Amino acid sequence: MRPVPVAGELTGSWLRRLAAPYGLGPQDLLRGLLRGPHHVQVTGSPAAGLEVFLNGPAQGALARSVGLPPDRLAALLPSLADIPARLADATLVRAGWHAPRDRWVGACHACTGRLRRPGQPVLVYPGPAGQICRRHRRWLLAHSGAPAGIGLETLPDILAAHRQHLALMRRHPDAEQAVAFAAAVVWSWQLQGWQAETIWKDRARRAAAAVGCAPAVVEPHALLAYPETVTVARVLAGPHWQQRLRARSSLPGATADALAQEIGHRIGRPWLADWLRARAQIRPPTAAHTDPLRQWIGAAAQGRPPTGCGRCPRPSPGLPTTAAAPGG
């Protein structure tokens, strides 16, 4: 009973891997591992939730049963730090199966080949920039039943953006928030009619060919706008624009145009500033409240850049299941 979790693995994924060699279900194994002098209360089921959450006493019992130090388990299994309020009672050994609270993916098939069992891929929380396996050049997808990913051999722009993403995280402590907000900015542009422009259309075609599906299936996927998202995040996280806005040396409208011109130049859309200006003229009363970039400008001018956009739906992190390519 010694298989060590993969770094960032879902606790539920690890328990499934522990249980499989013994012909046990993960629920039976969990109850056995937590069994002791105190009553054990386990709610939910593995069929209803991919992740299992444990309170303090349950975590201690689990660590003792598998022979791993509690601090090592906590470092490898992110969900152990997240104890739901309904399980917080420290007088009982309590656990519950639920949906993961954070984004998850299937770990790289090639990297975890010796750890997997048929129908049981290793599921992990990828973290801010872990969606891509650089070693095997794959964009990892959320699929609980099989390893799934998009090969990036024909998408060098995605790999280049990932290198920039990692560099941004090393340089800026707020990089994760900048990327999340940049994703909302770019997604808002997609929603307003960018789907047909040439760069995304070509990228969607190459991504669709990599997984054997129609380009329309790929269009809502986060991969499609990933290079633009990273580029916008690099602009917003850089000190130049934040200092310029805090100095209030120009009018907000002029600053917005200048910022859009720089972003448009960096992402290969020199028409971006004109397009955004035209959109704002069509809906002038609501433009400042619906355009995430304008929200950022207004907040940054007051020294508090926003960390996200609650009004913008997010692109899909996975692909619908097709005959040729499993999705998330």
Side-chain angles (χ1 to χ4, degrees):
M1 195 71 72
R2 288 282 182 161
V4 177
V6 172
E9 188 170 4
L10 276 66
T11 306
S13 168
W14 180 52
L15 286 174
R16 287 177 172 87
R17 293 198 295 113
L18 282 177
Y22 300 96
L24 295 172
Q27 185 79 311
D28 295 329
L29 176 68
L30 178 62
R31 290 185 179 277
L33 293 176
L34 299 183
R35 185 175 300 154
H38 301 289
H39 177 68
V40 176
Q41 184 179 90
V42 180
T43 58
S45 72
L50 285 177
E51 185 58 289
V52 62
F53 298 92
L54 301 95
N55 68 356
Q59 292 180 27
L62 177 65
R64 289 190 297 273
S65 294
V66 299
L68 292 172
D71 56 348
R72 189 177 185 194
L73 275 183
L76 295 172
L77 300 171
S79 72
L80 295 186
D82 185 11
I83 302 177
R86 56 184 171 273
L87 301 178
D89 183 359
T91 63
L92 296 174
V93 178
R94 303 186 67 183
W97 293 89
H98 302 283
R101 294 189 175 188
D102 295 317
R103 182 171 57 103
W104 60 274
V105 297
C108 175
H109 174 85
C111 291
T112 60
R114 291 181 298 175
L115 302 175
R116 292 180 294 99
R117 298 187 66 82
Q120 292 182 337
V122 179
L123 308 181
V124 297
Y125 297 106
Q131 188 85 41
I132 292 174
C133 174
R134 294 180 64 190
R135 180 181 179 186
H136 297 102
R137 298 186 176 187
R138 295 191 67 78
W139 181 287
L140 306 175
L141 299 176
H143 194 294
S144 61
I150 301 175
L152 300 177
E153 291 80 2
T154 61
L155 294 159
D157 43 352
I158 304 295
L159 293 169
H162 190 242
R163 289 192 293 270
Q164 295 171 347
H165 190 172
L166 294 174
L168 179 66
M169 290 178 59
R170 288 192 296 268
R171 292 195 305 267
H172 293 280
D174 297 327
E176 184 176 353
Q177 290 83 358
V179 172
F181 187 72
V185 171
V186 176
W187 185 240
S188 76
W189 294 340
Q190 286 180 284
L191 291 178
Q192 294 181 67
W194 267 27
Q195 291 93 332
E197 61 89 41
T198 56
I199 295 176
W200 278 342
K201 188 174 183 179
D202 176 66
R203 193 177 297 147
R205 178 186 58 77
R206 287 182 282 135
V211 295
C213 65
V217 176
V218 183
E219 286 184 358
H221 194 275
L223 173 148
L224 187 65
Y226 182 65
E228 289 77 15
T229 293
V230 174
T231 298
V232 172
R234 293 174 68 201
V235 173
L236 300 185
H240 170 73
W241 283 102
Q242 295 190 20
Q243 292 172 358
R244 179 172 175 178
L245 288 164
R246 283 195 292 268
R248 302 184 185 184
S249 58
S250 59
L251 296 174
T255 301
D257 285 344
L259 179 59
Q261 287 173 4
E262 178 167 339
I263 290 175
H265 173 73
R266 293 199 190 189
I267 65 175
R269 276 87 164 185
W271 42 263
L272 176 62
D274 292 336
W275 182 79
L276 289 175
R277 192 183 307 111
R279 298 292 301 184
Q281 290 173 352
I282 293 173
R283 297 181 301 173
T286 60
H289 301 290
T290 58
D291 184 348
L293 196 59
R294 287 177 177 265
Q295 294 176 26
W296 183 87
I297 291 171
Q302 301 176 33
R304 50 173 186 84
T307 58
C309 176
R311 298 183 179 88
C312 299
R314 295 292 188 268
S316 167
L319 293 175
T321 301
T322 66

